Amino acid sequence: MRATVWHGKRDVRVEHVPDPRIQEDTDAVVRITSSGLCGSDLHLYEVLAPFMTPGDILGHEPIGIVEEVGPAVPDLAPGDRVVVPFQIACGECWTCRRGLPTQCETTQVTEYGMGAQLFGYTKLYGAVPGAQAEYLRVPQAQYGPIKVPQGPPDDRFVYLSDVLPTAWQAVKYAGVPPGGSIAVLGLGPIGAMACRVARHLGAGTVIGVDLVRERLDRALREGVTALDLEAFDSGAALVDAVRGLTDGRGPDAVIDAVGTEAHGSPVAKLAQAAVGLLPRGLGARITETAGVDRLSALELAISLVRRGGTVSVSGVYGGAVDPLPMLTMFDKQIQLRMGQANVRAWTDEILPLLTDEDPLGVDDFATHHVPLDEAPDAYAMFQKKQDGAIKVLFKP
Ligand SMILES: NC(=O)c1ccc[n+]([C@@H]2O[C@H](COP(=O)([O-])OP(=O)(O)OC[C@H]3O[C@@H](n4cnc5c(N)ncnc54)[C@H](O)[C@@H]3O)[C@@H](O)[C@H]2O)c1
Ligand SMILES: [Zn+2]
Ligand SMILES: [Zn+2]
């Protein structure tokens, strides 16, 4: 089959690889019909490269048709249409039963002290072959795959794999009171969807921050107060502007939908600005460390949120020793929630919204549908945010 294969930093190729097959009784093999390209894949393309091995197959946002099932997968049959969650979980262990499949005790990657295995996501997460391919071997298929109706286009359901539960969890963790305010940092697929979910779940004021014109424009059209990071001289000016929109206090919650890489040079500028907001010694210490550009969005979130508010982190962070502004976080009494989205824990709440009425606008959420063979160009385009790319779906 053909698959998108990682070869090195900014080097992915579509190659022929062996077809996956059933290896365990709980496996299924799915023929992929659409597969998303995610901001998380961009981390592999760049900063997480040390945890990748040339030959790794990328991708973790698939929808497709079941080809084959192992003998211990009673609820799936060939021909079923399924969305496969990005994490691999058993559904039966202590953590799965508590709605935390990202921590599944059956699939945890204990060798690296990590949580549940993920498709196509470094050896830290099990080096499991990913879904930007023609076929996918799905371990723990007795639990993971979400059966969806035949008929509507793939776009209707594919985001159940990642974008929807991630945005949903980010908003749920944010705990915004009815009519309350929320700021979303980053208006990529996750941030854009988080804005829609926040509105749907009753937030009053939704503020979005990014630096990419098309992403800001799209949010603006959807009723989000979209702020261009680059229009502010300093982090302090942005904090002031947001306070001006939120009764002078800052939003009840801030979602960090950016993560470990703040893309582009303007962001380094903002990082310094955000550090400038911290008490002197602390800011200086942070500036001296490697953590400074990598934590810029999280630092901004901490600065923006109102006292007693919540910072909900869906952006992926990888550093083990990054310094955090503990003084500010403690003094402002901030609640901090984070983690990979527990996909199956949210499916039942989200699925009823994937109808012809399309309240979350999934049907035309994707900006690009791209043949799998063009994956290398699509990665480059998405990383550079060219051609208005916000969400890319591959068609194997
Ligand atoms: N927790 C989870 O389960 C989960 C699931 C999917 C994705 N993610 C993570 O969520 C993050 C966003 O994913 P995405 O697909 O939307 O990616 P993306 O890279 O397309 O979006 C990130 C956006 O943030 C903007 N940005 C960069 N620096 C900024 C700053 N300092 N302030 C405000 N905006 C800034 C970028 O311009 C970009 O539009 C990534 O880190 C991804 O790994 C987490
Ligand atoms: Zn993803
Ligand atoms: Zn489990």
Side-chain angles (χ1 to χ4, degrees):
M1 68 164 182
R2 288 170 302 120
T4 306
V5 175
W6 188 93
H7 279 277
K9 212 168 166 181
R10 272 173 263 162
D11 181 4
V12 306
R13 305 175 201 166
V14 176
E15 293 177 341
H16 286 274
V17 299
D19 286 348
R21 45 180 193 80
I22 302 280
Q23 295 174 23
E24 306 279 340
D25 288 354
T26 48
D27 285 355
V29 171
V30 173
R31 178 173 57 81
I32 305 303
T33 53
S34 291
S35 202
L37 173 58
C38 180
S40 296
D41 296 320
L42 292 181
H43 303 322
L44 312 181
Y45 199 59
E46 201 74 57
V47 297
L48 294 184
F51 302 109
M52 298 293 287
T53 309
D56 283 352
I57 300 173
L58 298 166
H60 58 265
E61 304 188 350
I63 181 170
I65 304 293
V66 174
E67 279 275 311
E68 206 183 334
V69 294
V73 184
D75 299 332
L76 285 186
D80 284 348
R81 190 184 197 194
V82 291
V83 177
V84 183
F86 70 87
Q87 67 232 213
I88 299 164
C90 75
E92 288 158 13
C93 71
W94 194 91
T95 48
C96 280
R97 275 186 279 116
R98 281 158 183 79
L100 296 168
T102 57
Q103 313 302 327
C104 175
E105 291 177 348
T106 306
T107 72
Q108 276 178 7
V109 186
T110 47
E111 185 187 347
Y112 292 103
M114 301 296 285
Q117 290 183 340
L118 310 179
F119 287 103
Y121 217 75
T122 77
K123 57 187 168 197
L124 294 178
Y125 288 106
V128 182
Q132 290 162 5
E134 288 182 285
Y135 294 91
L136 179 71
R137 171 183 164 239
V138 181
Q140 305 290 342
Q142 81 291 352
Y143 175 65
I146 303 159
K147 261 201 259 189
V148 296
Q150 313 274 357
D154 282 353
D155 300 49
R156 178 76 57 88
F157 303 115
V158 65
Y159 305 116
L160 279 170
S161 57
D162 183 340
V163 174
L164 285 166
T166 299
W168 198 270
Q169 177 169 302
V171 173
K172 287 283 185 166
Y173 280 8
V176 179
S181 53
I182 188 162
V184 178
L185 304 183
L187 295 171
I190 300 302
M193 188 56 78
C195 290
R196 296 178 183 189
V197 170
R199 182 77 78 212
H200 180 79
L201 293 177
T205 305
V206 181
I207 299 164
V209 181
D210 204 300
L211 49 149
V212 179
R213 196 65 260 160
E214 292 91 343
R215 297 181 177 202
L216 290 162
D217 287 346
R218 175 150 129 171
L220 210 55
R221 285 196 300 276
E222 294 171 9
V224 173
T225 305
L227 301 179
D228 182 353
L229 200 60
E230 295 191 284
F232 297 89
D233 291 339
S234 65
L238 176 59
V239 170
D240 277 350
V242 171
R243 284 192 184 153
L245 297 164
T246 50
D247 297 330
R249 293 194 182 87
D252 295 311
V254 179
I255 290 174
D256 173 351
V258 179
T260 189
E261 276 159 289
H263 299 283
S265 57
V267 172
K269 193 177 82 190
L270 180 93
Q272 273 121 37
V275 166
L277 294 171
L278 300 170
R280 226 163 215 289
L282 198 60
R285 216 186 70 220
I286 290 174
T287 310
E288 281 162 17
T289 70
V292 66
D293 51 343
R294 301 192 290 120
L295 281 169
S296 61
L298 183 54
E299 306 238 345
L300 182 60
I302 291 163
S303 303
L304 283 171
V305 74
R306 71 158 164 82
R307 287 178 179 274
T310 301
V311 172
S312 168
V313 183
S314 51
V316 166
Y317 284 91
V321 291
D322 290 319
L324 273 174
M326 281 305 295
L327 175 64
T328 309
M329 290 164 70
F330 187 80
D331 179 62
K332 287 183 74 172
Q333 206 167 335
I334 289 169
Q335 357 257 325
L336 186 56
R337 298 202 69 185
M338 64 181 93
Q340 304 278 8
N342 295 291
V343 175
R344 288 304 249 127
W346 307 112
T347 309
D348 292 349
E349 286 177 46
I350 299 169
L351 206 44
L353 301 173
L354 305 181
T355 58
D356 286 344
E357 286 70 45
D358 196 13
L360 297 175
V362 292
D363 283 356
D364 44 32
F365 188 63
T367 52
H368 291 68
H369 297 85
V370 173
L372 185 66
D373 289 331
E374 292 169 25
D377 289 341
Y379 267 78
M381 172 183 73
F382 184 51
Q383 189 193 35
K384 296 185 193 129
K385 297 162 181 61
Q386 292 165 333
D387 196 30
I390 300 177
K391 190 67 190 180
V392 178
L393 294 179
F394 293 124
K395 297 276 172 187

